[in-house]
Structures are given as structure tokens and as C-alpha cells.
Short mmCIF file of all heavy atoms in Angstrom, two decimals:
data_model
loop_
_atom_site.label_atom_id
_atom_site.label_comp_id
_atom_site.label_asym_id
_atom_site.label_seq_id
_atom_site.Cartn_x
_atom_site.Cartn_y
_atom_site.Cartn_z
N GLY A 1093 -92.98 -96.68 -50.36
CA GLY A 1093 -92.77 -98.01 -50.92
C GLY A 1093 -91.48 -98.66 -50.50
O GLY A 1093 -91.27 -99.86 -50.76
N GLY A 1094 -90.62 -97.91 -49.84
CA GLY A 1094 -89.34 -98.44 -49.41
C GLY A 1094 -89.40 -99.23 -48.12
O GLY A 1094 -90.49 -99.45 -47.56
N SER A 1095 -88.24 -99.66 -47.66
CA SER A 1095 -88.14 -100.51 -46.47
C SER A 1095 -87.07 -99.99 -45.52
O SER A 1095 -86.10 -99.35 -45.95
CB SER A 1095 -87.79 -101.94 -46.86
OG SER A 1095 -88.78 -102.52 -47.68
N LEU A 1096 -87.27 -100.28 -44.26
CA LEU A 1096 -86.27 -100.03 -43.22
C LEU A 1096 -86.35 -101.15 -42.20
O LEU A 1096 -87.42 -101.75 -42.01
CB LEU A 1096 -86.52 -98.69 -42.52
CG LEU A 1096 -86.14 -97.39 -43.23
CD1 LEU A 1096 -86.62 -96.20 -42.42
CD2 LEU A 1096 -84.64 -97.32 -43.44
N ARG A 1097 -85.23 -101.37 -41.52
CA ARG A 1097 -85.21 -102.33 -40.42
C ARG A 1097 -84.72 -101.62 -39.17
O ARG A 1097 -83.57 -101.15 -39.14
CB ARG A 1097 -84.32 -103.53 -40.72
CG ARG A 1097 -84.43 -104.63 -39.68
CD ARG A 1097 -83.38 -105.68 -39.87
NE ARG A 1097 -83.64 -106.89 -39.11
CZ ARG A 1097 -82.70 -107.69 -38.63
NH1 ARG A 1097 -81.43 -107.41 -38.83
NH2 ARG A 1097 -83.03 -108.77 -37.94
N LEU A 1098 -85.55 -101.56 -38.17
CA LEU A 1098 -85.20 -100.94 -36.90
C LEU A 1098 -84.70 -101.99 -35.92
O LEU A 1098 -85.14 -103.14 -35.95
CB LEU A 1098 -86.40 -100.22 -36.30
CG LEU A 1098 -87.13 -99.22 -37.20
CD1 LEU A 1098 -88.24 -98.54 -36.40
CD2 LEU A 1098 -86.18 -98.21 -37.79
N SER A 1099 -83.79 -101.57 -35.04
CA SER A 1099 -83.28 -102.43 -33.99
C SER A 1099 -83.41 -101.71 -32.65
O SER A 1099 -83.34 -100.48 -32.59
CB SER A 1099 -81.81 -102.77 -34.22
OG SER A 1099 -81.63 -103.46 -35.43
N CYS A 1100 -83.56 -102.50 -31.61
CA CYS A 1100 -83.62 -101.93 -30.26
C CYS A 1100 -82.89 -102.88 -29.32
O CYS A 1100 -83.29 -104.03 -29.15
CB CYS A 1100 -85.05 -101.75 -29.81
SG CYS A 1100 -85.21 -101.28 -28.07
N GLY A 1101 -81.80 -102.37 -28.72
CA GLY A 1101 -81.07 -103.14 -27.74
C GLY A 1101 -81.50 -102.76 -26.34
O GLY A 1101 -81.70 -101.59 -26.04
N ALA A 1102 -81.61 -103.76 -25.49
CA ALA A 1102 -82.06 -103.53 -24.11
C ALA A 1102 -81.01 -104.04 -23.14
O ALA A 1102 -80.36 -105.06 -23.37
CB ALA A 1102 -83.37 -104.25 -23.86
N SER A 1103 -80.83 -103.32 -22.05
CA SER A 1103 -79.92 -103.75 -21.00
C SER A 1103 -80.55 -103.45 -19.65
O SER A 1103 -81.47 -102.63 -19.54
CB SER A 1103 -78.57 -103.04 -21.13
OG SER A 1103 -78.73 -101.64 -21.03
N GLY A 1104 -80.07 -104.13 -18.64
CA GLY A 1104 -80.58 -103.91 -17.29
C GLY A 1104 -81.84 -104.67 -16.96
O GLY A 1104 -82.45 -104.42 -15.92
N ILE A 1105 -82.22 -105.62 -17.81
CA ILE A 1105 -83.43 -106.39 -17.59
C ILE A 1105 -83.19 -107.84 -17.98
O ILE A 1105 -82.23 -108.14 -18.69
CB ILE A 1105 -84.62 -105.86 -18.43
CG1 ILE A 1105 -84.24 -105.83 -19.92
CG2 ILE A 1105 -85.08 -104.52 -17.95
CD1 ILE A 1105 -85.37 -105.51 -20.85
N ILE A 1106 -84.09 -108.72 -17.53
CA ILE A 1106 -84.11 -110.09 -18.06
C ILE A 1106 -85.01 -110.04 -19.27
O ILE A 1106 -86.22 -110.27 -19.20
CB ILE A 1106 -84.60 -111.08 -16.99
CG1 ILE A 1106 -83.73 -110.98 -15.74
CG2 ILE A 1106 -84.56 -112.50 -17.55
CD1 ILE A 1106 -84.23 -111.82 -14.58
N PHE A 1107 -84.41 -109.72 -20.40
CA PHE A 1107 -85.13 -109.38 -21.62
C PHE A 1107 -86.12 -110.45 -22.04
O PHE A 1107 -87.25 -110.16 -22.42
CB PHE A 1107 -84.10 -109.13 -22.73
CG PHE A 1107 -84.69 -108.80 -24.07
CD1 PHE A 1107 -85.15 -107.54 -24.36
CD2 PHE A 1107 -84.75 -109.78 -25.06
CE1 PHE A 1107 -85.67 -107.23 -25.61
CE2 PHE A 1107 -85.28 -109.49 -26.31
CZ PHE A 1107 -85.74 -108.21 -26.58
N SER A 1108 -85.70 -111.70 -21.96
CA SER A 1108 -86.48 -112.79 -22.55
C SER A 1108 -87.83 -112.99 -21.87
O SER A 1108 -88.70 -113.64 -22.43
CB SER A 1108 -85.68 -114.08 -22.50
OG SER A 1108 -85.40 -114.43 -21.16
N THR A 1109 -88.03 -112.45 -20.70
CA THR A 1109 -89.28 -112.70 -19.97
C THR A 1109 -90.37 -111.68 -20.29
O THR A 1109 -91.50 -111.83 -19.83
CB THR A 1109 -89.04 -112.66 -18.46
OG1 THR A 1109 -88.61 -111.34 -18.08
CG2 THR A 1109 -88.00 -113.67 -18.04
N HIS A 1110 -90.05 -110.68 -21.08
CA HIS A 1110 -90.99 -109.58 -21.31
C HIS A 1110 -91.62 -109.60 -22.70
O HIS A 1110 -90.95 -109.93 -23.68
CB HIS A 1110 -90.29 -108.23 -21.11
CG HIS A 1110 -89.81 -108.03 -19.71
ND1 HIS A 1110 -90.66 -107.67 -18.67
CD2 HIS A 1110 -88.58 -108.13 -19.17
CE1 HIS A 1110 -89.97 -107.57 -17.57
NE2 HIS A 1110 -88.70 -107.84 -17.83
N VAL A 1111 -92.89 -109.20 -22.75
CA VAL A 1111 -93.53 -108.92 -24.03
C VAL A 1111 -93.03 -107.56 -24.48
O VAL A 1111 -93.22 -106.56 -23.80
CB VAL A 1111 -95.07 -108.91 -23.92
CG1 VAL A 1111 -95.69 -108.56 -25.27
CG2 VAL A 1111 -95.58 -110.24 -23.40
N MET A 1112 -92.40 -107.53 -25.63
CA MET A 1112 -91.81 -106.30 -26.14
C MET A 1112 -92.67 -105.71 -27.25
O MET A 1112 -93.39 -106.42 -27.95
CB MET A 1112 -90.40 -106.54 -26.66
CG MET A 1112 -89.42 -106.95 -25.58
SD MET A 1112 -89.18 -105.68 -24.32
CE MET A 1112 -88.46 -104.35 -25.28
N GLY A 1113 -92.58 -104.41 -27.40
CA GLY A 1113 -93.38 -103.75 -28.42
C GLY A 1113 -92.63 -102.63 -29.10
O GLY A 1113 -91.64 -102.10 -28.56
N TRP A 1114 -93.08 -102.30 -30.28
CA TRP A 1114 -92.64 -101.10 -30.98
C TRP A 1114 -93.79 -100.10 -30.95
O TRP A 1114 -94.94 -100.44 -31.26
CB TRP A 1114 -92.24 -101.40 -32.42
CG TRP A 1114 -90.87 -101.98 -32.54
CD1 TRP A 1114 -90.53 -103.29 -32.65
CD2 TRP A 1114 -89.63 -101.24 -32.57
NE1 TRP A 1114 -89.16 -103.43 -32.74
CE2 TRP A 1114 -88.59 -102.18 -32.70
CE3 TRP A 1114 -89.30 -99.89 -32.50
CZ2 TRP A 1114 -87.24 -101.81 -32.76
CZ3 TRP A 1114 -87.97 -99.52 -32.57
CH2 TRP A 1114 -86.96 -100.48 -32.70
N TYR A 1115 -93.44 -98.89 -30.59
CA TYR A 1115 -94.37 -97.78 -30.53
C TYR A 1115 -93.90 -96.71 -31.52
O TYR A 1115 -92.74 -96.67 -31.89
CB TYR A 1115 -94.39 -97.16 -29.14
CG TYR A 1115 -94.79 -98.07 -28.00
CD1 TYR A 1115 -93.93 -99.06 -27.54
CD2 TYR A 1115 -96.02 -97.92 -27.37
CE1 TYR A 1115 -94.29 -99.89 -26.48
CE2 TYR A 1115 -96.38 -98.73 -26.29
CZ TYR A 1115 -95.51 -99.71 -25.86
OH TYR A 1115 -95.86 -100.51 -24.80
N ARG A 1116 -94.82 -95.83 -31.87
CA ARG A 1116 -94.40 -94.68 -32.68
C ARG A 1116 -95.20 -93.45 -32.28
O ARG A 1116 -96.33 -93.56 -31.79
CB ARG A 1116 -94.57 -94.97 -34.17
CG ARG A 1116 -96.01 -95.09 -34.66
CD ARG A 1116 -96.03 -95.48 -36.13
NE ARG A 1116 -97.40 -95.57 -36.64
CZ ARG A 1116 -97.69 -96.01 -37.86
NH1 ARG A 1116 -96.72 -96.40 -38.68
NH2 ARG A 1116 -98.95 -96.05 -38.25
N GLN A 1117 -94.58 -92.31 -32.50
CA GLN A 1117 -95.25 -91.04 -32.20
C GLN A 1117 -95.00 -90.08 -33.35
O GLN A 1117 -93.85 -89.69 -33.60
CB GLN A 1117 -94.75 -90.44 -30.89
CG GLN A 1117 -95.53 -89.21 -30.46
CD GLN A 1117 -95.26 -88.82 -29.02
OE1 GLN A 1117 -94.25 -89.20 -28.43
NE2 GLN A 1117 -96.19 -88.08 -28.44
N ALA A 1118 -96.08 -89.74 -34.03
CA ALA A 1118 -96.01 -88.77 -35.12
C ALA A 1118 -96.19 -87.36 -34.56
O ALA A 1118 -96.76 -87.19 -33.47
CB ALA A 1118 -97.08 -89.08 -36.16
N PRO A 1119 -95.73 -86.35 -35.27
CA PRO A 1119 -95.87 -84.97 -34.78
C PRO A 1119 -97.32 -84.63 -34.47
O PRO A 1119 -98.21 -84.86 -35.29
CB PRO A 1119 -95.34 -84.15 -35.95
CG PRO A 1119 -94.40 -85.04 -36.66
CD PRO A 1119 -94.99 -86.41 -36.54
N GLY A 1120 -97.56 -84.11 -33.28
CA GLY A 1120 -98.90 -83.69 -32.89
C GLY A 1120 -99.84 -84.82 -32.52
O GLY A 1120 -101.03 -84.58 -32.28
N LYS A 1121 -99.33 -86.04 -32.46
CA LYS A 1121 -100.18 -87.19 -32.15
C LYS A 1121 -99.67 -87.92 -30.91
O LYS A 1121 -98.51 -87.77 -30.52
CB LYS A 1121 -100.25 -88.15 -33.33
CG LYS A 1121 -100.92 -87.56 -34.56
CD LYS A 1121 -101.09 -88.62 -35.64
CE LYS A 1121 -101.80 -88.07 -36.86
NZ LYS A 1121 -101.99 -89.11 -37.91
N GLN A 1122 -100.54 -88.72 -30.33
CA GLN A 1122 -100.14 -89.52 -29.17
C GLN A 1122 -99.30 -90.72 -29.63
O GLN A 1122 -99.41 -91.19 -30.76
CB GLN A 1122 -101.38 -90.01 -28.43
CG GLN A 1122 -102.11 -88.92 -27.67
CD GLN A 1122 -103.16 -89.49 -26.73
OE1 GLN A 1122 -103.73 -90.53 -26.99
NE2 GLN A 1122 -103.41 -88.78 -25.63
#
């Protein structure tokens, strides 16, 4: 029921031109 805010900083790219995504990997899963 709680909340968290994740951040991701990127360098070495022209960031604004890319479709960005958040992925996750749980134990034993893809």
C-alpha cells in the first residue's frame, strides 16, 4: 500500500529523442 519514486539519470545520449521505459525483474522471472 505504500509508495516509492524511482529516478534514472542518463548520460552519453541525446536523451530527449528516445522513448524511455522502466523495466523490472523479479527473482526467477524474465
